[in-house]
Structure formats: structure tokens, C-alpha cells
Amino acid sequence: MSPAGAGGRGGSPYQGRRRPDQPPAGRGVTRSRQVAFEVLRAVDEDDAYANLLLPHRIAAARLSPSDAGLATELTYGTLRRRGTYDAIIAEASGRDLRDIDPPLLDVLRLGAHQLLSMRTPSHAAVNESVEQAARIASRGASGFVNAILRKISRTDLDDWLDQVSEGLTEERALAVRNSHPDWIVRALRDALTAEHRGDELAASLAANNESPAVSIVALPGFDTPDELVASNPDLLVPGRVSPRGLTLASGDPSWVPQVKAGRARVQDEGSQLVTLALLEAEPVRAGERWLDMCAGPGGKAALLAASATELQAKLTANELVPARAGLVRAALAPLAAPVTVTNEDGRAFADTHPGTFDRVLLDAPCTGLGALRRRPEARWRKQSSDVAELVQLQEELLQAALLAVRPGGIVAYVTCSPHQAETTAVVRRAVRLSGAEVLDAAAIVTRASHAPDLDLGARPLGDGTLVQLWPHRHGTDAMFLALLRRAPAANPDEQTTRTP
């Protein structure tokens, strides 16, 4: 993304004397803060993914565990609350943010996060920010940063929130206070209103700004969750909703030997639950053929592959993007499972593999609004204009999935998004075109879960239900699930016909 305001509009003091990722000449900025700054710049300039880049930068800087934790909080906290900090910086500076050069704006955001949301002493946050500004720009830039952050430090976060939201509409005030673009606030409001839970909007937005716990899945055929807890009592506790889920209580997931060996994986409990629901929909028969249509990077495919070994089924894991297909192969390699990895456009399966599979998991490409707490930069990268193109792709993939499954077979349509255009609307259109039966996903998810009182807020469609998980309600990513049964064949002889 091109940095807005480059070129020094409005008398910005940035002079571009040194690239932000070059080794600095000055002193006084901790390596943790420098790593966080470099990641923020890469996110803005190169569309980098913080969750992928940050671990590499931490390793390259050889940060201690405590310094790595600080770099992580600085990076993710600043990205999550960027919208709020931008409103405060604009108010404190009296400038349009486009008139502040992007590297200096990131310095100010980092400083604001330390001043308003961390326990960093004010003098330390201001002084290090001033030094960081001096490294990348001019003496004038240091004075500018010093003046703005000192002004910000004189008022606490609650008072700043009252100040920057004064006179705004309720929706816009929620967006500023909770650091979300307006269009995402509207999308979440509409999704919650569809469940008659519109009063949960503020809680939903707040949950996206919380640091999520690390969830682990115990793969079938290896250690059970209880065995994993027993062998790692200081690291793991039982999960909240998935029968195969655990939560990392402390430390790094790589400290768990079973994770390091690939017998357990890092995976959100919502992702676990929607995958297991496909297998819970009806009893699995030996010899079944399963398809993970959009398998990259391979988390759900690993859970299906381990289950396929245990239940005597065969899995095809397909991924269109070659690099992501490589990730799928790497994810499945430790399992020695009966899996074929293919590299095709999922939409082609309607023609190349008609009526072939007993069960299909379609984890469709989507806006990712359900994982904003894990990928905080996504809220600033995605646009409402992205939705229409994604919806078209989702509809085409779902139609292909319903043709690739045998008559009477089951398709799980999954998105990590609660946006109604990507969820209910896609399923409703697919049912209308295909005549597929909507199964009672809420009842099936409840059976698949180890939480019988799970409050799913299920949405009725036809004779079945759709399921939407939520971070604020279930502690999972906002995963959507529809379970569809392909209409039985008119000719009984076609019921089990499959292509080789």
C-alpha cells in the first residue's frame, strides 16, 4: 500500500535520510521497540503479515523471551488500536494524518500505545519515541514527536476516548472507541442483529482487541487431550469448546514436545469444532472419501488426515496456490496419513471429480473478519469493496463442492467471517440453486463439542440451522458453519456412482 502523505505535505519534518529498517546510528531505543517499528513499517509499505514477519524479526534480533513478549505486545497492540490512536494523534496534533509522514506516524502510534495502554513510564515512552524519530528523520521530527506525545501523556485513555468521540454518531463513536473501520462495525452489527443479539455489538468489538489465548488441537490417533495435559501440566489446560482442544497456559507452543513433533497443532478451537462437525454429521463408514477443497495452509487438513487414518477414510487435500500447497504437504508430512495433495482450482472439481466424495470441507476464502484479534492488520487492509468479489468466488466454490460430493453426501461450508453476505446469503443462494438440504448444524456442533450448553445463537434456514461462533461469546474465532446434504439421486443407481 502506498504511504499516504509521503513527500512532506503540511511541513512534515521527515527528510528520508535513512530507511527505517537500516541499522540505526543512535542510542536509546530498545531492540524490542525497534523490531515492533520495523514490523509496522513492513505491514504498511509491503502488505506484510505481522503474524508471519514478527517471529522472524524477533529471531533475527535475538530477543530474550521477555523482550520478545514486549515486541509482540507493542506490535499487535498498536495494530489493534491503530484507529483509536490515530483519532487521538489527530486531535493532539491538530493535523490531518495524511500530513504526517507514515514512518513518523508509526512512531507516534507506538508511543501512544505505551502511554495509554501499557505500564510504560511516560518519560521512557516519550524519550524512546523521540530517539526513534531522530533515527529516521530530522531534529525537527524529534521535536514534533516530543510535543505530540507529551500532550497525549497528560490525559488518560478514557478521557481521550470521550474527547475524540464527542459529537459522533453512535456507530461512528463505537468505531473510534474500539478501533474498527465503520464498514466492519456495520457488518458485525448486522450479523448480531440477525441473531437478535444486537446488544452484543460493543462486546464483540472489544473482544477483537483482546490478545487471544493460544489453542492446541490433539490430533486423533496420538495423545488424547487428557494425556497432553498430564504430560505438560505447566503448559496446557483443557480447552473450552472442542473435545480435542487445549489452551496454552504459559510459555511457547513449541515447548510442548507433541507440538514440536507434529502430533498436536496450534489451531483455534472454532476451527477444530467446525471441522469435527463435518465428521459428526452422520456416522463415518470405512472407505469414505473426503475432500478439503481449499486446504492451505493445512491446519484443518491435518485434523481431517489424522481422523481419516483412525476412521479408515481417504482424504484429498486441494490447494490452488502452489506455495500454500507446499505448506499443506509440510503440515501433513509428520502424519503418514492416507492423503493426496492436489493443486487445482476448487471450482474445477465439479467437472473433474463429479459425485466423487462422501464429505467435502469448503473453508472458503473470505474477508477474515472472524480472526481480527489474531490478524489485527486485516481490519485496515480489507475494504468493503472486497466483499462482492469474494462472494462470487464463494458461491462458485460451494456450487462445485455440491457437485463434487456424491448424492446424499455432505458439504461443510465454512468461513472465518460473520459477514452475512459471505455466510447466510451464500448458503441461501446455493440451496435455492441446488436443492441441497440444510442440516441442523447447531445440534451437530453441540454433539461434536464437549460443552452441551453452548450458546450458538443458531440461525434457522429451511428445516436446518446455521452456526456462528463468536470471540466474545465462545472464546473462538468467529467461524461460520453450514452443513448441506446434496439432494439424493433421482435414480437410486446413481446414489454411489463415483468417478475413478
Side-chain angles (χ1 to χ4, degrees), residues 55 79 108 136 152 184 400 483:
L79 285 170
L108 288 167
I136 63 172
I152 290 174
I184 294 181
L483 291 168

Side-chain angles (χ1 to χ4, degrees), residues 47-66:
D47 281 347
Y49 291 93
N51 66 317
L52 300 180
L53 179 60
L54 181 60
H56 291 288
R57 291 297 175 94
I58 287 173
R62 299 181 179 179
L63 298 185
S64 67
S66 61

Side-chain angles (χ1 to χ4, degrees), residues 101-233:
D101 284 296
L104 284 186
L105 186 53
D106 278 336
V107 171
L108 288 167
R109 289 163 173 161
L110 280 167
H113 183 60
Q114 293 169 71
L115 291 169
L116 299 175
S117 300
M118 297 177 67
R119 296 180 179 177
T120 309
S122 295
H123 69 274
V126 173
N127 291 345
E128 290 210 20
S129 300
V130 168
E131 177 63 27
Q132 209 154 33
R135 292 182 178 202
I136 63 172
S138 66
R139 188 169 297 175
S142 301
F144 173 73
V145 167
N146 181 64
I148 300 309
L149 291 183
R150 287 193 182 280
K151 185 172 183 180
I152 290 174
S153 71
R154 297 187 192 111
T155 304
D156 65 21
L157 179 58
D158 288 340
D159 287 343
W160 272 119
L161 290 175
D162 290 341
Q163 190 171 334
V164 297
S165 60
E166 185 177 358
L168 301 180
T169 65
E170 181 180 0
E171 185 177 284
R172 179 65 187 140
L174 279 172
V176 170
R177 284 177 169 273
N178 293 281
S179 190
H180 284 67
D182 293 10
W183 75 273
I184 294 181
V185 174
R186 289 192 294 272
L188 298 182
R189 179 201 62 199
D190 292 346
L192 287 164
T193 300
E195 299 180 20
H196 307 289
R197 299 287 186 87
D199 59 337
E200 295 181 6
L201 177 58
S204 173
L205 295 169
N208 286 339
N209 291 328
E210 295 175 2
S211 181
V214 176
S215 296
I216 307 290
V217 59
L219 295 180
F222 298 101
D223 305 81
T224 67
D226 287 344
E227 289 169 342
L228 282 173
V229 170
S231 61
N232 300 277

Side-chain angles (χ1 to χ4, degrees), residues 293-294 318-321 342-350 352 393 396-397 400:
M293 183 175 272
C294 300
N318 178 71
E319 173 54 47
L320 171 63
V321 181
T342 58
N343 184 206
E344 302 179 35
D345 188 325
R347 292 170 290 190
F349 274 73
T352 59
L393 175 60
E396 292 171 356
L397 285 168

Side-chain angles (χ1 to χ4, degrees), residues 321-410:
V321 181
R324 287 170 63 85
L327 294 176
V328 174
R329 292 186 179 93
L332 299 179
L335 303 180
V339 182
T340 301
V341 179
T342 58
N343 184 206
E344 302 179 35
D345 188 325
R347 292 170 290 190
F349 274 73
D351 297 321
T352 59
H353 300 79
T356 298
F357 302 98
D358 297 280
R359 301 174 201 244
V360 176
L361 172 65
L362 171 55
D363 184 11
C366 68
T367 56
L369 301 188
L372 295 182
R373 58 191 187 144
R374 299 185 190 279
R375 302 183 186 94
E377 72 275 9
R379 72 184 75 182
W380 312 118
R381 184 170 291 161
K382 298 290 186 182
Q383 305 292 330
S384 59
S385 56
D386 298 333
V387 175
E389 184 177 354
L390 282 167
V391 166
Q392 181 177 347
L393 175 60
Q394 291 157 357
E395 290 181 345
E396 292 171 356
L397 285 168
L398 183 50
Q399 287 299 319
L402 286 166
L403 290 171
V405 77
R406 64 170 173 80
I410 299 172

Side-chain angles (χ1 to χ4, degrees), residues 69-83:
L70 175 58
T72 300
E73 169 55 30
L74 285 167
T75 302
Y76 282 99
T78 302
L79 285 170
R80 287 189 184 103
R81 300 307 303 261
R82 193 179 93 173

